[in-house]
């Protein structure tokens, strides 16, 4: 699809129009959904040539589609749109975020580059996939200032998540990219979305999204995507075709639709999150609040009492894994999203036992605060009176102060 207008459009405009440039010529207003698994062809020689070309190069087949595991028009629309939003040449979509990460590791392993330098914390399953060696990967965990010293001849990736899951720790992506040098930097941008940051503008080579989260935005679709250069995309397409981790066309349709409202949702959710952070920071039942400088709708906080009582005490907010939906979700990372990570490794990454992670939705801030207030009251009754908590002047918000959400 034509990409010449990308430089003069705002991100909000791109979100609405990217991936839909040819609709007028097709006589359509809404993007179509193509559920075909296979496509008729009366020219078997031409079809064979397209398959051979894909097998050799990984380039998208020219001409009519052949088979949905090879290429699907609906999925391609979502890929084109996401690449536009991230400012990359290409994007390759998968059945989930973990399938996208798996394909990336396999691409690097195929080049003899099985070593990964990682910065914790990462999403728990990403951490586990790297640490387990399930794909033959070897990982070295370092602090950001130890990246360059950990790189070896067989290092295929440097991987960070910023803001990180679940502590919302941020990395200076330009510094990380500089430390990585010629080794590709993979940034998990799930929490920030391209509304808040575009990692490739800071030197990253690959951008990972669990598209299940903010890109879809409604808690009803599973998917993953890597935004990258076209050369890497060709390699990823070959792995996707060979391993079958394809995104279903219906998921591609829902994700494309989700992108159109992404900037609006992130702005509204971020504004509510900022207000909740202000109130949580001033609340004696909360000992620490984590919120990223770039803003966003993710909030993490540590409570003085029992975090499990807070989880059981909410009524409007949903206790559930995942994030980025239109409704507010809360969970306890130590026992849910990061339970698969050994306790010592969790602690070293800042994931404390009393930490809760909240994904702020589109509800009214007063309704959300009322629900939290009641749930935190239950936490206080569990054993720590408000008077015993540190005064507000000694409680910490990370980072210092509460930023207004930065928007593109």
């Amino acid at each position: 699809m034509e990409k010449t207008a990308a430089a003069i459009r705002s991100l909000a405009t791109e979100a609405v129009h990217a991936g839909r440039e040819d609709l007028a010529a097709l006589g359509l207003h809404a993007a179509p959904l193509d559920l075909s698994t296979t496509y008729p062809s009366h020219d078997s020689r031409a079809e064979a040539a397209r398959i051979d070309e894909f097998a050799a190069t990984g380039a998208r087949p020219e001409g009519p589609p052949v088979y949905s595991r090879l290429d699907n028009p609906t999925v391609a629309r979502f890929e084109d749109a996401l690449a536009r939003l991230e400012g990359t040449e290409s994007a390759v979509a998968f059945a989930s975020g973990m399938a996208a990460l798996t394909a990336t590791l396999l691409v690097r392993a195929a080049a003899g580059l099985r070593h990964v330098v990682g910065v914790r914390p990462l999403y728990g399953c990403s951490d586990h996939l790297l640490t387990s060696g399930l794909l033959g990967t070897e990982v070295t965990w370092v602090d950001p200032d130890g990246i360059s010293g950990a790189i070896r001849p067989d290092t295929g990736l440097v991987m960070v998540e910023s803001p990180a899951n679940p502590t919302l720790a941020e990395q200076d992506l330009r510094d990380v990219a500089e430390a990585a040098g010629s080794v590709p930097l993979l940034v998990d941008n799930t929490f920030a979305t391209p509304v808040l940051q575009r990692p490739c503008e800071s030197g990253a080579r690959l951008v990972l999204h669990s598209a299940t989260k903010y890109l879809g935005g409604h808690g009803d679709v599973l998917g993953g995507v890597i935004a990258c250069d076209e050369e890497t995309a060709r390699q990823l397409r070959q792995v996707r075709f060979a391993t079958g981790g394809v995104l279903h066309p219906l998921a591609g349709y829902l994700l494309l639709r989700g992108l159109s409202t992404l900037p609006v949702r992130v702005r509204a959710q971020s504004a509510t999150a900022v207000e909740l952070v202000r109130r949580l920071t001033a609340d004696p039942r909360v000992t620490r609040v984590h919120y990223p400088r770039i803003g966003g709708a993710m909030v993490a906080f540590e409570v003085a009492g029992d975090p499990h009582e807070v989880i059981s005490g909410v009524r409007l907010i949903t206790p559930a894994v995942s994030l980025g939906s239109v409704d507010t979700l809360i969970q306890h990372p130590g026992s849910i999203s990061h339970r698969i990570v050994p306790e010592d490794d969790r602690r070293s990454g800042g994931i404390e036992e009393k930490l809760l992670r909240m994904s702020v939705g589109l509800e009214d801030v007063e309704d959300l605060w009322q629900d939290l207030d009641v749930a935190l009251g239950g936490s206080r009754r569990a054993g720590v009176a408000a008077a015993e908590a540190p005064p507000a002047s000694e409680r910490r918000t990370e980072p210092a102060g509460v930023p207004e959400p930065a928007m593109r």
Side-chain angles (χ1 to χ4, degrees):
M1 294 183 181
E2 186 180 352
K3 301 183 181 181
T4 56
I8 60 173
R9 289 181 178 177
S10 71
L11 185 125
T13 301
E14 287 287 11
V16 173
H17 292 279
R20 301 168 175 84
E21 290 85 353
D22 62 338
L23 293 186
L26 295 174
L28 300 173
H29 179 247
L33 168 59
D34 187 335
L35 291 171
S36 297
T37 57
T38 191
Y39 300 86
S41 174
H42 298 285
D43 188 342
S44 59
R45 291 186 181 87
E47 186 173 84
R50 291 200 301 276
I51 295 174
D52 287 346
E53 175 69 12
F54 177 83
T57 69
R60 274 186 184 168
E62 296 293 335
V66 176
Y67 185 57
S68 197
R69 183 156 54 90
L70 187 68
D71 195 29
N72 175 271
T74 302
V75 173
R77 288 182 181 278
F78 165 64
E79 292 172 332
D80 289 341
L82 191 277
R84 290 279 285 271
L85 295 185
E86 281 289 2
T88 58
E89 287 183 324
S90 301
V92 184
F94 294 85
S96 69
M98 291 308 301
L101 177 57
T102 296
T104 304
L105 294 174
L106 291 175
V107 163
R108 303 309 289 162
L113 303 170
R114 295 183 176 274
H115 180 244
V116 176
V117 175
V119 176
R120 280 177 167 146
L122 297 176
Y123 168 53
C125 287
S126 299
D127 188 305
H128 175 69
L129 181 63
L130 294 175
T131 304
S132 67
L134 184 63
L135 300 177
T137 300
E138 181 183 350
V139 62
T140 300
W141 297 106
V142 297
D143 292 328
D145 57 5
I147 290 173
S148 59
I151 291 175
R152 309 184 325 204
D154 63 340
T155 302
L157 282 177
V158 172
M159 182 173 179
V160 302
E161 183 175 5
S162 182
N165 186 353
T167 65
L168 305 176
E170 293 173 276
Q171 306 298 334
D172 186 317
L173 297 183
R174 292 188 185 278
D175 287 350
V176 173
E178 182 177 350
S182 61
V183 176
L185 170 62
L186 169 67
V187 176
D188 188 332
N189 203 33
T190 298
F191 277 19
T193 81
V195 177
L196 297 176
Q197 70 179 8
R198 300 205 286 186
C200 286
E201 294 179 348
S202 298
R205 290 264 300 278
L206 303 99
V207 180
L208 168 67
H209 286 275
S210 172
T212 307
K213 311 307 193 293
Y214 286 103
L215 303 189
H218 292 75
D220 56 5
V221 58
L222 199 68
V225 63
I226 297 284
C228 55
D229 59 274
E230 174 58 19
E231 179 182 355
T232 302
R234 292 184 177 201
Q235 297 170 332
L236 289 169
R237 292 186 197 111
Q238 290 176 311
V239 170
R240 181 178 65 181
F241 177 72
T243 60
V246 295
L247 184 71
H248 191 277
L250 179 57
Y253 174 85
L254 292 172
L255 289 171
L256 179 64
R257 187 176 68 170
L259 288 184
S260 64
T261 61
L262 177 65
V264 176
R265 286 186 282 107
V266 170
R267 289 189 181 99
Q269 291 165 318
S270 298
T272 300
V274 166
E275 179 58 28
L276 291 176
V277 165
R278 288 196 178 102
R279 298 186 190 191
L280 288 167
T281 302
D283 196 301
R285 298 165 294 181
V286 175
T287 60
R288 193 174 187 181
V289 179
H290 306 258
Y291 190 68
R293 288 181 174 85
I294 63 170
M298 298 301 301
V299 178
F301 58 97
E302 297 168 32
V303 296
D306 185 345
H308 300 284
E309 291 225 355
V310 178
I311 295 290
S312 63
V314 294
R315 293 295 178 266
L316 176 65
I317 298 169
T318 302
V321 297
S322 200
L323 55 106
S325 186
V326 291
D327 60 321
T328 300
L329 308 177
I330 193 169
Q331 62 112 335
H332 181 249
S335 58
I336 303 295
S337 63
H338 288 70
R339 185 175 181 82
I340 200 169
V341 179
E343 183 178 357
D344 289 346
D345 293 336
R346 290 200 303 266
R347 293 292 176 85
S348 68
I351 306 170
E352 300 295 338
E353 174 58 27
K354 294 199 173 188
L355 180 73
L356 294 170
R357 189 195 75 186
M358 184 167 62
S359 168
V360 178
L362 292 174
E363 302 94 339
D364 185 270
V365 66
E366 298 300 335
D367 293 327
L368 290 174
W369 179 248
Q370 181 179 20
D371 197 38
L372 279 174
D373 187 38
V374 172
L376 287 166
S379 174
R380 177 175 54 188
R381 287 192 300 272
V384 181
E388 297 175 357
S393 60
E394 297 179 13
R395 292 196 300 277
R396 290 195 287 174
T397 299
E398 299 238 345
V402 180
E404 292 300 325
M407 298 295 169
R408 291 187 175 276

